Amino acid sequence: MNFRNKILLFSWIAVCIVLFCSGSATAQNNSILFTYGQQEVPLSDFNYVYEKNNRNDANLYKEQSVREYLDLFINFKLKVKAAESIGLDTLASFKNELEQYRRQLAQSYLTDRDVSEELIKEAYEHSKEERKVSHILVMCAEDALPEDTLKAYNKALQLKADIVLKGKDFNQVARESSDDPSVRDNGGELGFLSAFQTIYPFERAFYRQQVGEISDPVRTKYGYHLIKVEQKRPSVGKRHAAHILFRIPKFADATQAQDAEKRANEAYSLLQKGEKFETLARQISEDKSTAPAGGDLGWFGAGKMVSEFEAATFALKNAGDFSPPFKTLYGWHIVKLIESKPIGDLEAMRSELKAKVEKDSRSEVAHHEFINKLKKQFAFNENENGKKNILSKLDSTFQQGAWKPNPADSYDQVLFIANKKTYRQKDFVDFLVKNQRRLRAGQSTEKAFNALYQLYVENELVKMEEAILPEKYPDFRRLMQEYRDGILLFDLTNREVWEKALTDSTGLKQYFEQHSDKYQWGERCKATIYTCHDEATAQALKAVLDKGSAETFIKENLDKGIKIGMQSGSFEKGQNDAIDSIPWKKGTSRILGNDKKEAIVVYVEAILPPAPRTLDEAKGYVVADYQAELEKQWMQRLNTTYPVKVNEEVLKTLIKP
């Protein structure tokens, strides 16, 4: 499994990952919580990781929470010990992956953390409010020549003057003059925006404006913008809701659509009379994914649901309120508000905001400040003449990305000194030759050269900082330990459980035979679905099917170049729109239409009662269950090899009433 996929699967491992504390435990927290084999685990190890992963849980330090997490912690320790015992930590593949992660982890430390914190706080404040924004764009490349930059800036100023001094309509000026391609449709209106929805300089500008105000030209990588804030409103927060769904099949006729509405109204009447929402959802909701949980949809915010559903949900004010029936493209719904919450506080959102800041264009601000700090830290001292000397030797071939230094020229001057290391011209010249690119029309040689020089300097400074991260940041060491153990856990679990369940065909078959009663088909419709290019062909086909076999009819049409699609099989409810839209009785259905303007006829051969599935039919479910069984057996073996003894007296010191 490649590195990218393994990173994604680590979200599963995260619930049981532990960090080995690098320092000595404090005296009051150094009691041994449990042993496994000859290994002792102090309370401090468990307490650290338990609180780290549960600090926002309302049940923090409650007995059930502590004991459940202790089980995960113990299992993790046993698995890592087993991996080490067979030498998985000595493999070249393991060492290579750990080094790859080290490079990735280092990136989060190679920035100005103070500036990043300010950016996180600012993003949080922005997230609390949405603003309706319009803009006018005068395009100008980031590396445009000074005269072109000034020309674009002056044009933006003139457009503002036309609006402010001459009274022209902002959106009309946008349609006439903006370089944003979407302006012809939206007149420059971008709708309600919040944090992270536009590039950072643009976002920062519209959050610093008053409603109705038109900004001075705002520079971004696209050019100069005039920004107008039309309206502002608080962010809507999130809702936790449940629903009951009465589906309208994709090819439903009027009777079926009316029946769904009728059933929704009947359910609403029952709810008004005191019927419990969750009970009703389990019994009659046709959303199979949520019905078993009483219709629970979890938490969601604005923009996550279809507009009708969102409007109905956010209109509910109090926990326990439910809506009248309403229609969406999925059918008829009744939605219940379980809980609502405004945008979270800063600490609750910190991790999410931090990740977004690091990926957002605002991270450039933190990077710039970080490089400046490194220059001070490593006593960076530059020889400007050395840089200018190289620039003077660039000719027209640099514009083509093909410049080569003249062998007769000397490149031995000092370029800069950092961390007591001297960098000479020849070091940068090698970098320049390898990294030069053909310049765009109008791109300045000096700007392109300076950009490459700055990149070279930054790369060298960052390398110096990266080399000292383990000594400088204890949490960097701990995270490296965490990932190391996570790789071992993943690789051994893959060997003992996941991969084994897929390759052990004998064991899988034996497990299926021992538990075959778990894998049953529901009632199914055995049918053939015919898809025709027009209704006339479908009507003719239906007439043939009503009398018997359609094989000859289909062949004759194929000879004429008219293809009729066929799909045969046994279908449960919810597996096929056409099957869901017809009565389940033997014979030929009515003509159905689809989104492609095709006509569909269904011939029902039989209605099959519930029956056992074969191994092939149930394989996905069986593999998952077999994996769970292999995991159980593996943990039993590990507990035998490394007997676990928990010190209950020490454990109880963590539990709060």
Side-chain angles (χ1 to χ4, degrees):
M1 181 171 290
N2 63 33
F3 177 76
R4 175 181 173 83
N5 289 339
K6 195 169 287 188
I7 285 288
L8 294 174
L9 281 172
F10 265 35
S11 60
W12 174 86
I13 296 173
V15 296
C16 55
I17 270 190
V18 287
L19 303 178
F20 286 89
C21 297
S22 59
S24 61
T26 59
Q28 66 270 29
N29 201 21
N30 200 32
S31 302
I32 301 304
L33 177 59
F34 68 91
T35 60
Y36 60 105
Q38 301 301 312
Q39 302 292 317
E40 294 182 336
V41 180
L43 178 62
S44 56
D45 277 19
F46 173 73
N47 191 34
Y48 177 85
V49 72
Y50 171 73
E51 186 164 321
K52 172 181 179 286
N53 289 292
N54 295 276
R55 60 170 57 102
N56 295 320
D57 190 341
N59 294 314
L60 182 67
Y61 292 118
K62 299 293 184 182
E63 182 168 4
Q64 183 177 348
S65 172
V66 171
R67 290 189 181 277
E68 287 178 353
Y69 205 84
L70 179 60
D71 288 341
L72 294 174
F73 185 90
I74 290 171
N75 288 350
F76 178 82
K77 288 280 192 179
L78 296 180
K79 291 174 182 178
V80 171
K81 182 66 176 176
E84 292 170 341
S85 71
I86 60 174
L88 289 185
D89 56 335
T90 65
L91 299 178
S93 57
F94 166 81
K95 293 179 179 179
N96 290 339
E97 183 168 342
L98 191 59
E99 177 57 28
Q100 190 174 357
Y101 175 74
R102 186 190 189 282
R103 291 195 296 269
Q104 178 179 307
L105 177 62
Q107 295 307 308
S108 63
Y109 290 81
L110 300 175
T111 187
D112 188 306
R113 294 193 165 193
D114 293 335
V115 175
S116 295
E117 176 62 19
E118 290 304 311
L119 291 171
I120 290 170
K121 290 178 180 178
E122 180 189 62
Y124 173 71
E125 292 301 318
H126 290 181
S127 297
K128 294 195 297 186
E129 186 178 86
E130 298 168 350
R131 294 193 166 204
K132 188 176 182 181
V133 176
S134 295
H135 85 132
I136 296 169
L137 170 64
V138 179
M139 292 186 69
C140 180
E142 279 188 288
D143 54 1
L145 295 172
E147 55 267 32
D148 293 329
T149 301
L150 181 61
K151 182 179 178 181
Y153 178 78
N154 286 334
K155 180 181 177 181
L157 280 180
Q158 183 58 53
L159 293 175
K160 179 178 180 179
D162 290 344
I163 298 166
V164 175
L165 301 179
K166 297 182 181 180
K168 289 188 177 182
D169 179 72
F170 186 96
N171 300 109
Q172 185 58 40
V173 173
R175 287 189 178 91
E176 294 170 354
S177 304
S178 179
D179 293 325
D180 182 345
S182 69
V183 73
R184 306 295 178 258
D185 300 319
N186 60 25
E189 292 185 8
L190 301 176
F192 278 98
L193 300 174
S194 188
F196 304 108
Q197 292 184 299
T198 65
I199 55 176
Y200 178 57
F202 190 93
E203 175 193 319
R204 181 177 53 188
F206 73 70
Y207 270 107
R208 293 180 178 181
Q209 287 180 231
Q210 300 298 317
V211 173
E213 181 183 1
I214 298 173
S215 71
D216 288 331
V218 175
R219 186 69 159 105
T220 73
K221 64 181 179 180
Y222 302 111
Y224 287 100
H225 306 256
L226 297 178
I227 302 172
K228 181 181 180 182
V229 177
E230 309 278 2
Q231 187 181 341
K232 63 181 180 179
R233 69 184 185 193
S235 295
V236 294
K238 293 186 176 182
R239 298 293 186 272
H240 182 192
H243 81 140
I244 299 172
L245 170 65
F246 301 91
R247 295 178 65 246
I248 300 176
K250 189 174 183 179
F251 307 117
D253 56 20
T255 300
Q256 288 174 303
Q258 290 169 2
D259 178 63
E261 182 180 7
K262 178 183 176 184
R263 288 183 290 123
N265 285 323
E266 289 172 349
Y268 182 62
S269 178
L270 290 173
L271 291 170
Q272 289 179 310
K273 293 176 182 177
E275 187 76 24
K276 192 172 181 180
F277 190 97
E278 292 75 14
T279 302
L280 207 56
R282 291 187 185 96
Q283 293 173 347
I284 63 175
S285 179
E286 294 175 354
D287 181 350
K288 290 187 175 181
S289 64
T290 65
D296 195 333
L297 292 161
W299 287 95
F300 57 89
K304 296 298 184 182
M305 299 291 187
V306 292
S307 58
E308 302 92 341
F309 195 96
E310 183 178 298
T313 305
F314 281 88
L316 299 173
K317 301 298 183 185
N318 303 308
D321 289 352
F322 53 86
S323 71
F326 61 93
K327 186 181 178 184
T328 73
L329 58 88
Y330 300 106
W332 284 87
H333 308 255
I334 303 171
V335 63
K336 174 187 173 182
L337 179 62
I338 298 174
E339 190 179 356
S340 62
K341 62 182 177 182
I343 187 169
D345 62 29
L346 176 59
E347 290 311 309
M349 296 184 64
R350 180 175 294 280
S351 295
E352 176 187 349
L353 291 172
K354 181 176 182 292
K356 288 181 177 180
V357 164
E358 289 172 352
K359 295 177 182 178
D360 187 62
S361 56
R362 70 192 75 205
S363 63
E364 296 170 9
V365 176
H367 179 72
H368 178 73
E369 291 301 318
F370 175 66
I371 294 301
N372 287 339
K373 283 191 174 182
L374 291 186
K375 286 182 176 180
K376 293 179 182 178
Q377 176 182 323
F378 294 125
F380 178 81
N381 187 14
E382 182 178 70
N383 176 19
E384 185 69 24
N385 290 331
K387 184 172 68 170
K388 288 180 179 179
N389 177 259
I390 299 173
L391 177 61
S392 68
K393 294 177 180 178
L394 300 182
D395 54 27
S396 60
T397 59
F398 183 74
Q399 289 279 342
Q400 308 304 315
W403 178 78
K404 293 181 180 179
N406 187 332
D409 291 334
S410 171
Y411 291 98
D412 201 43
Q413 289 186 47
V414 173
L415 199 56
F416 61 85
I417 298 172
N419 202 24
K420 300 181 180 179
K421 178 180 178 181
T422 299
Y423 291 81
R424 299 190 179 277
Q425 289 175 316
K426 59 186 177 183
D427 301 319
F428 173 57
V429 166
D430 290 341
F431 178 87
L432 189 65
V433 170
K434 292 176 183 176
N435 292 276
Q436 63 182 321
R437 297 289 183 271
R438 177 188 291 271
L439 305 189
R440 296 188 301 276
Q443 188 177 5
S444 162
T445 294
E446 184 175 355
K447 281 193 173 183
F449 170 83
N450 286 335
L452 284 170
Y453 174 75
Q454 182 62 29
L455 178 62
Y456 175 71
V457 169
E458 290 182 5
N459 286 350
E460 294 305 313
L461 292 173
V462 168
K463 285 178 188 176
M464 293 177 185
E465 177 70 1
E466 188 175 355
I468 62 174
L469 288 179
E471 293 74 33
K472 192 172 181 179
Y473 298 106
D475 56 333
F476 180 85
R477 292 198 304 273
R478 288 196 293 266
L479 287 169
M480 285 300 300
Q481 183 70 49
E482 175 182 343
Y483 193 79
R484 172 206 180 266
D485 296 341
I487 300 173
L488 294 177
L489 172 64
F490 180 93
D491 289 344
L492 191 57
T493 303
N494 190 48
R495 178 186 297 192
E496 295 289 336
V497 178
W498 302 327
E499 193 65 33
K500 186 174 181 179
L502 293 172
T503 58
D504 181 13
S505 57
T506 301
L508 187 68
K509 181 180 179 183
Q510 187 177 55
Y511 180 84
F512 172 72
E513 290 171 349
Q514 292 170 349
H515 302 86
S516 58
D517 58 322
K518 291 175 58 178
Y519 309 107
Q520 300 285 318
W521 285 113
E523 186 180 47
R524 289 169 294 159
C525 178
K526 185 177 181 181
T528 300
I529 303 167
Y530 298 90
T531 304
C532 305
H533 74 286
D534 59 25
E535 187 169 347
T537 304
Q539 290 287 3
L541 174 60
K542 183 179 186 307
V544 172
L545 287 169
D546 287 340
K547 296 178 182 179
S549 172
E551 184 176 343
T552 301
F553 178 86
I554 293 172
K555 184 177 184 304
E556 290 173 351
N557 275 271
L558 186 59
D559 291 341
K560 298 175 186 177
I562 301 172
K563 185 178 179 181
I564 298 175
M566 294 176 59
Q567 180 185 358
S568 296
S570 298
F571 305 89
E572 289 185 298
K573 286 284 187 184
Q575 287 187 324
N576 184 278
D577 288 327
I579 297 296
D580 288 350
S581 302
I582 63 170
W584 280 27
K585 61 181 182 180
K586 187 174 181 178
T588 310
S589 75
R590 62 185 172 86
I591 307 299
L592 308 173
N594 67 13
D595 295 340
K596 298 179 181 179
K597 298 183 179 180
E598 297 169 324
I600 297 172
V601 182
V602 181
Y603 179 76
V604 178
E605 182 180 336
I607 306 301
L608 305 177
R613 299 186 189 219
T614 65
L615 175 56
D616 285 341
E617 291 170 336
K619 192 166 186 178
Y621 301 104
V622 180
V623 168
D625 291 343
Y626 186 43
Q627 286 174 339
E629 179 63 23
L630 289 173
E631 171 93 12
K632 179 181 175 182
Q633 294 174 4
W634 181 32
M635 290 311 306
Q636 289 172 346
R637 295 196 303 272
L638 290 179
N639 275 277
T640 300
T641 305
Y642 308 107
V644 176
K645 294 181 181 179
V646 176
N647 188 329
E648 284 290 330
E649 292 302 315
V650 173
L651 180 62
K652 288 176 182 178
T653 64
L654 274 184
I655 298 171
K656 297 178 181 178

